[in-house]
Amino acid sequence: MEYDALIPVIRQLAIEAGTKIMQIYNADDFHVKVKSDDSPVTEADEAADALISAGLRAAFPDMMLVTEEQAASHGLTGETFLIVDPLDGTKEFINRRGDFTVNIALVENGVPTRGVVYAPARERMFFTLADGSSVEETGPFDPAKMGAVTPIRVAECDNDALMVVASKSHRDQATDDYINKYKVKDSKSAGSSLKFCLVATGEADLYPRVGRTMEWDTAAGHAVLLGAGGKVVRFDDHTPLTYGKEGYANPFFIAYAPGVDLKEA
């Protein structure tokens, strides 16, 4: 994969998908269906998926593509693949809370090496450059031309005063029990893959996830965090979280700035 060719394409597709999502988000009403796993799906998920999938297949016809909204892709296996969540945080979208994202990532040998996370309602976009470093673009989000970008880097954290971010829709007692093992200055809630990006920018030090996620939920944010100097490890044994697993399901995990003194599960 030529990274110089990849980055403009995934950035452009994320912005175009975000525009389509916002058109539906700002409408008076939109249709919500329930999938076989009881998770919700909206016309925005489906429209964004169609746009991104068509764009990626046109640009990279030989590349394996896994996307949340196409069940047939969930049986594919490969070392290198593109993975997409066209609308991460559907519950946030349905409840009009704004914390939803478009996620597109490249996985190579089990590692998400490049990715883009776009939060159109929050007007924030994070992505990896061709060299693997991560940036935040500050607008105006023209799909054809990159705007001003700022390099992002994880914080030099203080283990006596950590900033923690946790899920807005899935926070539970097990998460709180783990967070309570740390000396926490403050905690915040955020939806979707924005939590990875808040660690990547230094706005948070630690994001533990004690709950079900899929690889398309996490790959793009994981890539952005890696490019900002962060890490993502399994909750149980602190080994790196890998991709291309059977069924694309993740174990519990911890995303963090390397200065954090990780506690055992």
Side-chain angles (χ1 to χ4, degrees), residues 1 3 79-81 106-114:
M1 171 61 73
Y3 301 135
E79 290 289 310
T80 300
F81 54 92
L106 171 69
V107 171
E108 298 178 285
N109 299 315
V111 180
T113 57
R114 301 291 184 277

Side-chain angles (χ1 to χ4, degrees), residues 19-35:
T19 299
K20 190 168 284 289
I21 287 166
M22 291 305 295
Q23 289 170 352
I24 298 169
Y25 184 72
N26 291 323
D28 291 337
D29 196 15
F30 48 79
H31 186 57
V32 180
K33 297 184 290 189
V34 178
K35 294 191 286 191

Side-chain angles (χ1 to χ4, degrees), residues 8 47 60 88 92 113 120 123 155 170-171 177 183 191 201 205 209-210 235 246-247 258:
F60 310 108
D88 182 29
E92 303 294 323
T113 57
E123 297 186 336
H170 303 281
R171 188 159 177 169
D177 288 346
K183 296 178 180 177
T201 60
D205 302 308
R209 182 57 184 260
V210 187
F235 188 78
E246 183 177 359

Side-chain angles (χ1 to χ4, degrees), residues 157-206:
C157 50
D158 178 356
N159 281 287
D160 290 322
L162 292 175
M163 295 290 295
V164 176
V165 63
S167 175
K168 185 171 286 185
S169 298
H170 303 281
R171 188 159 177 169
D172 58 11
Q173 190 60 49
T175 303
D176 287 336
D177 288 346
Y178 184 71
I179 290 171
N180 288 337
K181 296 183 177 188
Y182 294 87
K183 296 178 180 177
V184 177
K185 176 184 177 182
D186 196 11
S187 66
K188 61 181 77 176
S189 296
S192 68
S193 56
L194 279 172
K195 295 181 285 292
F196 289 97
C197 300
L198 294 178
V199 179
T201 60
E203 294 167 70
D205 302 308
L206 176 70

